[in-house]
Amino acid sequence: MSATAPTADDLQAAILRHLTFTLGKDAAHASRYDWRMALSYALRDLIVEPWFSATRVTYGEDRKRVYYLSLEFLIGRLLEDVSINLGLRDVSAKALAALGQDLGAVIEDEPDAALGNGGLGRLAACFMESMATMGVPAMGYGIRYEHGLFRQRFEAGQQVETPEDWLKQKHPWEFERPEVVYEIGFKGHVSDEGGRRVWHPSESVVASAHDTPIVGWQGRWANTLRLWAATPTTMFDLDRFNAGDYAAAAEPEALARTISRVLYPDDTTEAGKELRLKQEYFLVSSAVQDILRRYRSGHGDIRKLADHVAIQMNDTHPALAGPELIRILVDHDGLAFDEAARIAEAVLGYTNHTLLPEALERWTTWMIGNVLPRHMEIIGALDARHAAAHPCRPPGTAIIENDQVKMGELAFITSHKVNGVSALHTELVKDTVFADLHALHPGRIVNQTNGITPRRWLKLANPALSALVTDTIGDGWEADLDRLEALEPHLDDAGFLDAYGAAKRSNKVALAAWVKDEMGETLDPEAIFDVQIKRVHEYKRQLLNILETIGLWHRMRAAPQDDWVPRVKIFGGKAAPGYAVAKQIIRLINDVGRVVNADPAIKGRLKVLYPANYNVSMAERLIPASDLSEQISTAGKEASGTGNMKFALNGAPTIGTLDGANVEIRDRVGADNFFLFGMTAPEVVARRNVPDHARQAIEASEDLQVVLQLLAEGRFSPEEPERYHGLLDQLWNHDHFLVASDYASYAAAQREVDSAWRDRAGWLRMAAANTARVGFFSSDRTIRGYMKDIWSVKAAL
Ligand code: 26Q
């Protein structure tokens, strides 16, 4: 990029050229959307050269490639990300300003690409950016959902979902590839032709490719995110059409279009749905066909596939990749089953993201047999092969059990490496879900602690802090985050801490202005901005946070003359549409906010806010303005967390349990710079065995009793006093996530936060120590781990 970097004049000319000739608009009549499109196309043009050259290098040097298969890529916006990675953010601002446009407003005009639910999808997006930054020859494969994750609104405090439609507008970053198409079959039957199995699908759709270049830091390399759209093989069933049955004649088209219509909103009540299985196979089959076509175009011997190809499965969602690869190698290439299985194993890796039993995918053998009859045979054969290799294997290690296909066991058995996403999680994977498979395959399970891209999560999201970091230690930290350690000597420098405080304050003032605009609430920038943003789940314990907030409010009211530390409690996150308890927790938070925010007795010293429709862009706004990061899951339940890393990097110390990557964050930032509370994972297991653990905990805490009493009285829902009786009953009698048992410890940690906050210099030092010590959590480091331990791939840069 450097030698040929365009000036603002060059970029301005390119913007006008696109406005005129790509969009057919006159500058005098161009809307913000038109300007955004024109700038996006102008920047996209600049990615093409590094993109082509990356492909040339990969082919020319015959490099091994990584294929990252994921049902989710939670990208967010691209315009600012691209402009920053190309080093053209300021140039873009200047060029637009000369055209009378404001870059900030144009950036905000872009809808988020919300093709994911949460952590797993965002991790895939961070990995794509890191692989491009490091020059790892890689391709991401996903589905081009017409509708991403639903939009969230609140009606009287309750979540209402509406469809998301990011593709209503043109997506300027993608290149449609109408020539890259594969047929994907479903259903039908399998025949035997002279010992060869032949699958005759009775339904089929066409997968067509849409490529988005993903450019890395400084524009030195770009990889492809290839998303597949489903289109019909035939527009009409001609026989039915000719017979006059026009509605039925359009069925093939209807089937095809539903497959890439909508992202499943991580909802266990939806599990087992045929359409979801079809989506999974649609992705896997198009990806595997594409990978094999590319391999065959340059290589003869399919037995050498693993020397050139690594396929990573993001959770079990693409776990049919093994059976699909084996099917093609056996049924089309004529390989022996055993050899095909060995090739698949050498190529595949599986990342586990959850231990929650309800989140482990299972399909009935009936459904797989119906939708994918040949794959069901192959899965049976894989299970038999594994049983033969391990004659004493415990029954739980089988892929098929009780007429169900366990996708975790399938992914494990078909992969050469299985990884967890934090040190604690990986140990729990070894000790719990896959304990027996781990015993049969020692060394297969490895850890790769998650990471986040510092380009988006510091450079882009927090320009104020980024500038201070660069002023203090120079540049280069963007691609080598360990360099943040050079901030260490400045932690005792009052001038540095003042500047650090000023950067944080400017972010808080900006957030307060946004909140005023969006929600009409006034925030005090001197207050602690205490933030919990993530999907709403019982195990993440937003309930614990709001109960403690109620307790604080009650004590403030009882002693309004006291010198309370002001707090702003911010929540953000969506509940799966069918998850009633999670929705009830959202409603409670909003009800509490309504009462607390209008209470004159506390003089504005406590606010509770829940901005609707939390997404990547909202995270970019909230995290840099946060003082306290809420990471309060029941220990043993959060596989890693990645939000926790973003907060620490941006100078918000954690209040948290010893769960997921919190453990490693605390190890690095130091126990003094982390507000620890709660039971450990083994203590959680033991506590569950105490029959009336919740009752005991409630009886031991007067504070908690008062809070529950306020809820029982309907203090936050006077129009319907019994609204939260169900939630209360659950807390007393079925407190699976141990909210009551951790309450006192959590409340005590919150009081420690208050006293730490009163020591302004001490707090700033703690915040800055968090920034200085979390370089480890760059996704560049995570990718290096995968390259070495799983993929055996080398970077080309
Ligand atoms: C499964 C079947 C049918 C429909 C949807 C799903 C589904 C979809 C998404 C199941 C799970 C997910 C998402 C899981 C997820 O985001 N897990 C998170 O992964 C992060 C990255 O590793 C971790 O940091 C988090 O701890 C983990 O919760």
Side-chain angles (χ1 to χ4, degrees):
M1 272 307 299
S2 48
T4 55
T7 64
D9 285 346
D10 298 337
L11 193 60
Q12 188 185 333
I15 293 168
L16 281 173
R17 199 168 58 242
H18 276 294
L19 190 72
T20 312
F21 298 109
T22 309
L23 298 154
K25 274 278 170 110
D26 183 331
H29 300 117
S31 64
R32 184 166 289 167
Y33 168 85
D34 297 320
W35 290 114
R36 172 164 69 82
M37 291 293 144
L39 174 59
S40 300
Y41 286 126
L43 291 174
R44 191 183 71 168
D45 288 348
L46 300 169
I47 306 175
V48 170
E49 198 278 317
W51 194 27
F52 285 4
S53 96
T55 307
R56 269 195 307 273
V57 168
T58 305
Y59 273 105
E61 300 175 5
D62 193 21
R63 285 190 173 265
K64 184 167 180 178
R65 287 177 197 248
V66 173
Y67 295 101
Y68 199 81
L69 269 58
S70 180
L71 270 282
E72 308 195 359
F73 286 91
L74 190 43
I75 303 282
R77 291 178 176 144
L78 275 171
L79 175 51
E80 191 175 19
D81 184 66
V82 168
S83 75
I84 284 177
N85 275 1
L86 294 178
L88 294 175
R89 197 191 183 284
D90 293 346
V91 170
S92 300
K94 238 174 132 182
L96 277 187
L99 294 161
Q101 300 301 312
D102 173 51
L103 176 63
V106 168
I107 285 169
E108 296 266 316
D109 183 62
E110 182 178 357
D112 272 41
L115 308 185
N117 275 288
L120 166 152
R122 183 55 232 175
L123 186 74
C126 283
F127 280 6
M128 289 302 296
E129 200 274 351
S130 275
M131 291 192 288
T133 289
M134 297 194 300
V136 181
M139 194 151 186
Y141 283 116
I143 295 179
R144 186 176 178 271
Y145 300 109
E146 221 173 289
H147 304 285
L149 187 63
F150 65 85
R151 262 206 290 265
Q152 177 194 58
R153 283 188 298 119
F154 296 133
E155 270 178 24
Q158 298 189 79
Q159 171 174 299
V160 176
E161 304 90 24
T162 54
E164 187 280 343
D165 53 10
W166 72 300
L167 283 179
K168 252 199 169 157
Q169 301 179 345
K170 185 140 187 57
H171 180 47
W173 302 105
E174 74 181 359
F175 292 89
E176 199 177 341
R177 303 288 189 212
E179 75 286 7
V180 183
V181 286
Y182 298 98
E183 190 166 346
I184 315 297
F186 300 104
K187 305 202 170 177
H189 70 280
V190 181
S191 66
D192 197 290
E193 279 159 36
R196 250 189 66 222
R197 306 295 290 163
V198 181
W199 176 26
H200 309 272
S202 60
E203 290 175 5
S204 70
V205 302
V206 169
S208 78
H210 293 69
D211 290 350
T212 300
I214 303 291
V215 69
W217 174 239
Q218 294 181 326
R220 298 165 67 207
W221 188 271
N223 286 320
T224 303
L225 174 59
R226 175 162 281 184
L227 301 180
W228 301 99
T231 54
T233 32
T234 51
M235 297 299 282
F236 288 103
D237 181 331
L238 267 186
D239 289 339
R240 281 167 154 176
F241 188 83
N242 291 332
D245 192 351
Y246 302 119
E251 265 172 32
E253 181 175 15
L255 163 78
R257 302 230 183 260
T258 48
I259 288 186
S260 55
R261 181 96 73 201
V262 57
L263 166 76
Y264 269 88
D266 175 17
D267 184 344
T268 42
T269 65
E270 297 281 343
K273 289 276 157 76
E274 182 177 300
L275 180 59
R276 170 73 181 187
L277 180 63
K278 284 180 160 175
Q279 286 185 335
E280 295 185 354
Y281 180 64
F282 172 77
L283 165 66
V284 156
S285 180
S286 45
V288 170
Q289 291 188 62
D290 200 42
I291 291 165
L292 290 177
R293 181 203 40 83
R294 190 170 301 108
Y295 177 77
R296 292 187 214 274
S297 77
H299 303 94
D301 187 355
I302 197 70
R303 290 167 184 81
K304 298 248 157 67
L305 189 67
D307 295 345
H308 303 275
V309 168
I311 299 177
Q312 191 65 27
M313 300 185 283
N314 199 18
D315 215 289
T316 57
H317 315 154
L320 289 166
E324 175 68 354
L325 182 54
I326 293 167
R327 180 185 73 86
I328 295 174
L329 297 184
V330 171
D331 296 358
H332 293 262
D333 295 65
L335 262 62
F337 183 83
D338 200 61
E339 180 155 46
R342 267 187 282 122
I343 293 171
E345 184 181 313
V347 165
L348 291 167
Y350 154 49
T351 305
N352 173 281
H353 297 267
T354 186
L355 302 166
L356 297 181
E358 65 272 24
L360 296 174
E361 279 192 299
R362 290 159 185 257
W363 301 98
T364 63
T365 53
W366 179 86
M367 188 175 308
I368 296 194
N370 181 243
V371 176
L372 301 165
R374 176 61 181 136
H375 297 80
M376 192 57 241
E377 291 182 351
I378 290 168
I379 292 166
L382 281 166
D383 209 11
R385 178 176 178 267
H386 187 257
H390 305 279
C392 302
R393 71 173 193 177
T397 61
I399 302 173
I400 301 168
E401 202 178 23
N402 301 327
D403 297 319
Q404 290 196 317
V405 176
K406 297 180 290 176
M407 301 301 266
E409 279 71 10
L410 173 65
F412 190 113
I413 285 169
T414 53
S415 297
H416 69 289
K417 283 287 185 297
V418 175
N419 75 283
V421 291
S422 73
L424 173 67
H425 168 67
T426 299
E427 289 313 303
L428 291 171
V429 168
K430 289 180 190 167
D431 294 346
T432 62
V433 255
F434 294 131
D436 289 337
L437 280 169
H438 175 51
L440 295 180
H441 305 275
R444 186 172 295 194
I445 300 179
V446 296
N447 179 241
Q448 300 298 343
T449 297
N450 282 168
I452 57 171
T453 167
R455 275 75 62 185
R456 183 179 288 262
W457 295 109
L458 186 53
K459 183 93 181 163
L460 179 157
N462 199 342
L465 181 54
S466 297
L468 174 62
V469 169
T470 302
D471 285 349
T472 311
I473 64 169
D475 58 14
W477 54 267
E478 296 92 338
D480 180 7
L481 204 60
D482 289 328
R483 287 201 204 174
L484 293 181
E485 286 169 10
L487 292 170
E488 197 74 30
H490 300 273
L491 296 181
D492 295 309
D493 169 351
F496 172 76
L497 291 183
D498 271 352
Y500 194 98
K504 179 63 78 182
R505 193 187 154 88
S506 71
N507 294 332
K508 292 172 73 174
V509 168
L511 178 62
W514 179 79
V515 166
K516 184 83 199 165
D517 263 15
E518 297 283 315
M519 316 181 70
E521 283 290 339
T522 307
L523 303 187
D524 172 9
E526 301 303 314
I528 302 177
F529 283 18
D530 168 339
V531 182
Q532 186 171 20
I533 44 177
K534 48 184 80 247
R535 285 298 286 257
V536 181
H537 256 283
E538 287 164 277
Y539 84 80
K540 294 178 188 279
R541 299 199 294 192
Q542 282 91 354
L543 182 59
L544 176 60
N545 187 345
I546 197 64
L547 293 180
E548 200 280 328
T549 304
I550 295 170
L552 175 61
W553 172 70
H554 186 257
R555 277 177 283 114
M556 276 187 181
R557 283 173 62 82
Q561 69 290 350
D562 285 8
D563 177 25
W564 296 97
V565 175
R567 283 254 185 174
V568 175
K569 285 267 176 189
I570 302 177
F571 293 83
K574 296 173 183 178
Y579 191 171
V581 177
K583 289 180 139 179
Q584 196 65 355
I585 292 168
I586 291 178
R587 188 177 197 186
L588 172 61
I589 296 169
N590 280 321
D591 276 349
V592 170
R594 198 177 39 161
V595 171
V596 166
N597 297 346
D599 180 5
I602 57 170
K603 305 196 195 105
R605 288 173 293 184
L606 178 62
K607 296 266 164 145
V608 178
L609 301 170
Y610 203 138
N613 201 40
Y614 172 67
N615 59 11
V616 171
S617 296
M618 199 191 290
E620 291 165 7
R621 191 187 295 283
L622 294 175
I623 291 169
S626 299
D627 296 307
L628 187 66
S629 163
E630 296 271 354
Q631 309 299 335
I632 62 177
S633 51
T634 314
K637 295 295 172 191
E638 190 69 271
S640 161
T642 46
N644 47 3
M645 301 166 186
K646 297 165 194 168
F647 280 101
L649 181 61
N650 283 278
T654 306
I655 181 166
T657 49
L658 284 178
D659 201 14
N662 292 356
V663 177
E664 291 156 85
I665 291 174
R666 180 167 173 271
D667 283 347
R668 292 197 140 74
V669 303
D672 292 346
N673 300 308
F674 187 110
F675 298 95
L676 180 68
F677 77 95
M679 289 174 282
T680 61
E683 285 167 355
V684 162
V685 173
R687 181 76 184 172
R688 284 225 182 85
N689 293 326
V690 176
D692 57 347
H693 54 80
R695 190 165 300 271
Q696 285 184 19
I698 295 166
E699 278 163 9
S701 164
E702 234 168 87
D703 197 25
L704 181 53
Q705 287 163 33
V706 170
V707 170
L708 299 186
Q709 180 60 28
L710 289 170
L711 273 181
E713 286 169 6
R715 194 59 195 273
F716 306 100
S717 55
E719 64 283 22
E720 187 192 350
E722 65 287 3
R723 182 174 293 160
Y724 297 109
H725 286 189
L727 218 48
L728 284 170
D729 175 65
Q730 241 215 183
L731 197 64
W732 281 92
N733 302 307
H734 313 280
D735 183 15
H736 188 67
F737 296 102
L738 305 173
V739 170
S741 297
D742 266 347
Y743 182 89
S745 169
Y746 177 61
Q750 287 289 16
R751 301 297 70 80
E752 277 175 47
V753 169
D754 286 335
S755 43
W757 182 260
R758 290 179 193 278
D759 170 11
R760 170 89 187 144
W763 184 277
L764 284 174
R765 191 184 189 285
M766 174 162 59
N770 270 264
T771 301
R773 297 175 185 174
V774 295
F776 175 78
F777 299 100
S778 167
S779 44
D780 301 348
R781 183 269 312 151
T782 310
I783 288 297
R784 271 193 292 276
Y786 279 82
M787 289 164 65
K788 179 168 160 292
D789 303 339
I790 302 177
W791 300 334
S792 302
V793 168
K794 289 212 154 50
L797 286 178

